[in-house]
Every structure is written in structure tokens, then in C-alpha cells.
Amino acid sequence: MIPLDQHPSGRHFLQIPGPSPVPDRVLRAMSLPTIDHRGPEFAVLGKKVIAGLQQVFQTQHPVAIYPASGTGAWEAALANTLSPGDAVLMFETGQFAALWQKMALRLGLKPEFLSLPGVCAETGLPNGWRRGVDAGLIEQRLRADGGHAIRAVCVVHNETSTGVTSDIASVRRAIDAARHPALLMVDTISGLASADYRHDAWGVDVTISGSQKGLMLPPGISFNALSPKALAASQTAKLPRSFWAWDEIVEMNRGGYWPYTPNTNLLYGLSEALDIILEQGLPAVFARHRRWAEGVRAAVRAWGLPIQCADPAVYSPVLTGVVTPPGVDADALRQLIHRRFDLSLGTGLGKVKGRMFRIGHLGDSNDLTLLATLAGVEMGLKLHGVPVAGSGVQAAMEYFAAHPQNASLKAAA
Ligand SMILES: *Cc1c(COP(=O)(O)O)cnc(C)c1O
């Protein structure tokens, strides 16, 4: 049991980039009694959540739901479409891309990991961990693969370890320009329902997502959005799979059911979350996250600290990575902030561990929640002895005051 004096009163500030704060409406929906997953009421729920997810993924095609974390849905994407020894082209954008590549190795695939060379002079961080996917490198590699040995291109849309997005449409164009038949698989576990994402329009074959980030649910369910080409590939793919197999799931989903016991109460939550998101409309949801991100970046700039994403064209609307000055242990800073102000920030992962922290701006949040978060960070920076150029809180207040939510909604419409 965590000592209660660490959370004396008020709400904990869960400002990590997933799990994200869950709206009360969703929590209440999840507290309804569990029902018979083979009964008539369930089919209504099952069909409703699948139809709602299709709107959020912006697809006409099937979406499989798994009672698993996002990692399970990663495995499902690979296991349903590929055969042992298949070559896959992956791109190192950060820790999540690296973990997916490690999984491909463990499944007996042959991943080739493209990455940008070099280290950034300003921060000492790997260049590839500050930028998005370079579609030109993918095109070049595919053009050199005349025999079409590469079966899939796998990229992360919103790299949660860095706060950098990637231009998925440009990856599609690169594959088409090389006239290469590889499948395109995209992880948008942390991007979906916060950052614009278009499964069909961008020609993605398998999109992987999860519940606990933009969808504002607790962890525990995850998704594969499919294309007809991915479904066709699954007919001949030889990697072993049973629990993850799309065929039975897609078949039973037509009636609103699953081949095994689905996560009923999380599906109640999903139904409610989809209502919230679709009532607001996707353009409004995306605009809200872009605006929050801009306010948070205004704060980071005012502190005089580097934003981890070095390319303004691909700033993440979901989270912001903040690089600490050389010699400042970002994890010690995070721990101080947690202890003193009951605020959780995301830790640096993999190659950037200790060099940065992450501020999540997703889930059930608003301007004042984010201002309080920034105040916690600013106090922590000062207490930890990190020199700051100016007040980030002041900069974010000015940004939010000068840019009303309604104006950004209108701009999105
Ligand atoms: C969170 C996350 C994952 C891992 O999902 P789990 O639910 O922790 O298994 C994978 N990729 C990205 C981009 C993520 O943000």
C-alpha cells in the first residue's frame, strides 16, 4: 500500500502520456453490472463500439478489439500477416519503435531498423530521437529491394517516448513511389483520438492502438484496424497465432460478439468515451490537443529548455518531451516533483533516460489542469536548482488567454 500521506487531498495529477486521466462519465459507465457476453444486450454494445471505432480510425473496414494492452495488438498485427523469416522494414523514432523491432526479432522475423545518423550537438541526444520518420530513406530502401523480400513497413505515428509524430501519408507515398507491395503497419497507440489519423485515406494496412491514451480509458483493451490487403495477407501468413487470429474475431464481430470473453466493463467505458469524442467531433478533439500542446511548448520555451522534438512540423499534440540541461538528472527532478506536488510526469525511456521528462497533455484535462501541471514543473525546476530563463506558467497563461478554445474549434471547422 502506498502511504496515504503521499496523496493527502485533492486529485493526483496524472500527466504522463498514458494512461491518461479518465473522465468521470467513463468511470461511471464502467461501474455498470457485467452482462452475459453471449446475450442480446451484448450484441448491441459490441456493434456500437465497433462502429464508433471505425469513425475514430476513419475506416470502413473491420476493427478487431483485444482484451490486452497495446503490446498485444502489436503482436497481433505481425502474427496475422507475416511468416517466419520475413523481412520487415522498421524506423527508429524512439523507444516504442525499438520495442516493436525487438518483438519482431522475438517472433522470428528479420527486422531491418532504419535510423537517422548522428547525435544532436545542442542536446547530445540521438538525432533520430528528435525527428520523425524520413520517408525518403524508406523509399530508397524499398527501391533497392527489387525482389520484394520486404513484406511490411512498420512505423510509429506518435512516438510517445519523444513527443514526435510522423507523416504517415508520406510513408504511403514512398511505398507507392517505389512500386513496392509491402504492407504498411502503423502504431498509433498514443495518437488515436488526439492527433489526426486516417486509416483508409492514408492507405494503412494495419493500425495498432490502445485504450489508455487518447481514448481516455483505463489500460486493458487494444485494437487492430485492418485493410482488405491485410485480411488477404492473413490467409497465407504462417506465423503461429490463435488468440490473436483475426478470422474468428472478424467473423463473430459481425454479430456483435467475440470468440472469447471480451472485457465487458471496459467496453462500457469505450462506448461512453466514443460518445464523448464523437459528440465533440474529431476536428474539435484534434484542435483541442494542438492548442494544449502549443501552450505547453510556450512554457518550455520560456524556461529556456530544449523541446525534444527538433522539427516543428511534427510536434506531437499529445505530449511534450523536455530536455534537461547536461548534468541534471531528469528522473531525480521528476521524483522531487512527485513527492512535493503529487504530480506524475513521464520518465525518459531507453536512449534518453535521465536526459528528459515528458509532459502529457491528453485525456480528461483543461487549461487550468495544464497550468497547474506547469506550475508543478516550474516549482520543481527551481527547487532542484535548474536555472530557468523565465516563467513558463506566465507564458502558457498568456497563450491560453489569447487563444480561446472556440477560436481553435472554428479554425478546425
Ligand atoms: C503505450 C505505447 C505502447 C505500449 O502499449 P502498452 O499498452 O503499454 O502495451 C506502444 N507504442 C506506443 C507508441 C505507445 O505509446
Side-chain angles (χ1 to χ4, degrees):
M1 192 63 193
I2 293 174
L4 285 176
D5 63 0
Q6 289 191 9
H7 301 283
S9 63
R11 282 216 178 181
H12 174 67
F13 277 75
L14 182 67
Q15 299 298 145
I16 60 175
S20 59
V22 179
D24 291 350
R25 245 177 94 176
V26 171
L27 289 172
R28 279 196 296 273
M30 289 180 52
S31 70
L32 293 173
T34 302
I35 54 172
D36 173 8
H37 63 290
R38 310 265 183 225
E41 289 166 284
F42 192 90
V44 176
L45 173 68
K47 286 189 202 161
K48 183 195 159 187
V49 293
I50 292 168
L53 282 172
Q54 286 174 314
Q55 287 189 58
V56 173
F57 279 97
Q58 306 196 46
T59 183
Q60 309 282 331
H61 300 297
V63 179
I65 307 177
Y66 295 103
S69 86
T71 304
W74 261 351
E75 179 159 343
L78 300 176
N80 273 287
T81 53
L82 299 167
S83 299
D86 276 355
V88 292
L89 191 61
M90 303 178 116
F91 202 103
E92 183 181 1
T93 44
Q95 180 70 358
F96 288 102
L99 290 173
W100 200 12
Q101 185 250 7
K102 189 172 124 197
M103 170 184 278
L105 274 175
R106 291 171 70 132
L107 290 174
L109 299 168
K110 291 205 175 67
E112 185 176 329
F113 211 23
L114 293 178
S115 51
L116 296 180
V119 163
C120 160
E122 180 199 11
T123 59
L125 305 185
N127 283 327
W129 288 52
R130 298 195 69 195
R131 296 181 177 275
V133 167
D134 181 339
L137 286 182
I138 291 178
E139 182 177 336
Q140 209 176 41
R141 181 62 191 90
L142 292 178
R143 281 187 191 277
D145 180 39
H148 297 164
I150 295 169
R151 310 300 299 195
V153 174
C154 301
V155 293
V156 175
H157 170 234
N158 185 67
E159 181 48 86
T160 324
S161 64
T162 61
V164 180
T165 62
S166 281
D167 179 350
I168 301 305
S170 77
V171 178
R172 174 79 264 166
R173 285 194 298 273
I175 298 171
D176 293 347
R179 298 176 181 278
H180 199 289
L183 294 165
L184 173 57
M185 303 205 213
V186 179
D187 167 349
T188 190
I189 292 179
S190 63
L192 191 76
S194 302
D196 194 6
Y197 189 84
R198 305 171 187 210
H199 180 82
D200 287 0
W202 293 346
V204 181
D205 292 302
V206 188
T207 299
I208 298 107
S209 196
S211 57
Q212 76 271 28
K213 306 195 178 167
L215 285 171
M216 310 185 290
L217 296 172
I221 49 174
S222 53
F223 317 100
N224 276 179
L226 313 178
S227 75
K229 187 172 158 185
L231 281 163
S234 73
Q235 304 288 312
T236 52
K238 298 275 183 319
L239 277 178
R241 59 191 177 272
S242 168
F243 178 77
W244 305 116
W246 291 335
D247 50 1
E248 285 187 6
I249 298 173
V250 170
E251 177 58 34
M252 289 202 63
N253 275 179
R254 280 192 243 278
Y257 297 104
W258 269 262
Y260 40 70
T261 316
N263 205 326
T264 309
N265 289 57
L266 272 167
L267 296 182
Y268 292 152
L270 175 60
S271 169
E272 194 71 18
L274 289 167
D275 283 349
I276 295 174
I277 290 164
L278 296 172
E279 276 160 17
Q280 293 171 349
L282 289 175
V285 171
F286 301 149
R288 170 154 54 89
H289 288 84
R290 281 197 302 270
R291 180 175 167 279
W292 284 342
E294 194 59 59
V296 169
R297 288 195 299 270
V300 180
R301 289 191 195 103
W303 291 326
L305 297 174
I307 294 167
Q308 183 162 349
C309 178
D311 178 0
V314 289
Y315 281 143
S316 171
V318 177
L319 74 142
T320 299
V322 183
V323 182
T324 51
V328 174
D329 177 357
D331 282 328
L333 170 68
R334 275 191 327 104
Q335 282 153 18
L336 179 149
I337 292 169
H338 180 258
R339 194 172 64 244
R340 290 289 300 272
F341 306 116
D342 202 15
L343 161 61
S344 290
L345 299 165
T347 183
L349 296 168
K351 291 183 180 175
V352 295
K353 178 147 192 61
R355 286 302 326 279
M356 57 85 71
F357 62 90
R358 297 171 295 150
I359 303 175
H361 25 86
L362 71 168
D364 190 41
S365 193
N366 58 32
D367 292 3
L368 296 187
T369 309
L370 291 176
L371 286 171
T373 298
L374 295 169
V377 175
E378 190 162 316
M379 286 189 284
L381 287 166
K382 289 182 181 166
L383 287 167
H384 199 65
V386 181
V388 291
S391 171
V393 177
Q394 186 66 38
M397 286 199 299
E398 281 164 17
Y399 179 82
F400 287 141
H403 298 83
Q405 178 90 13
N406 287 345
S408 58
L409 296 193
K410 270 199 210 101

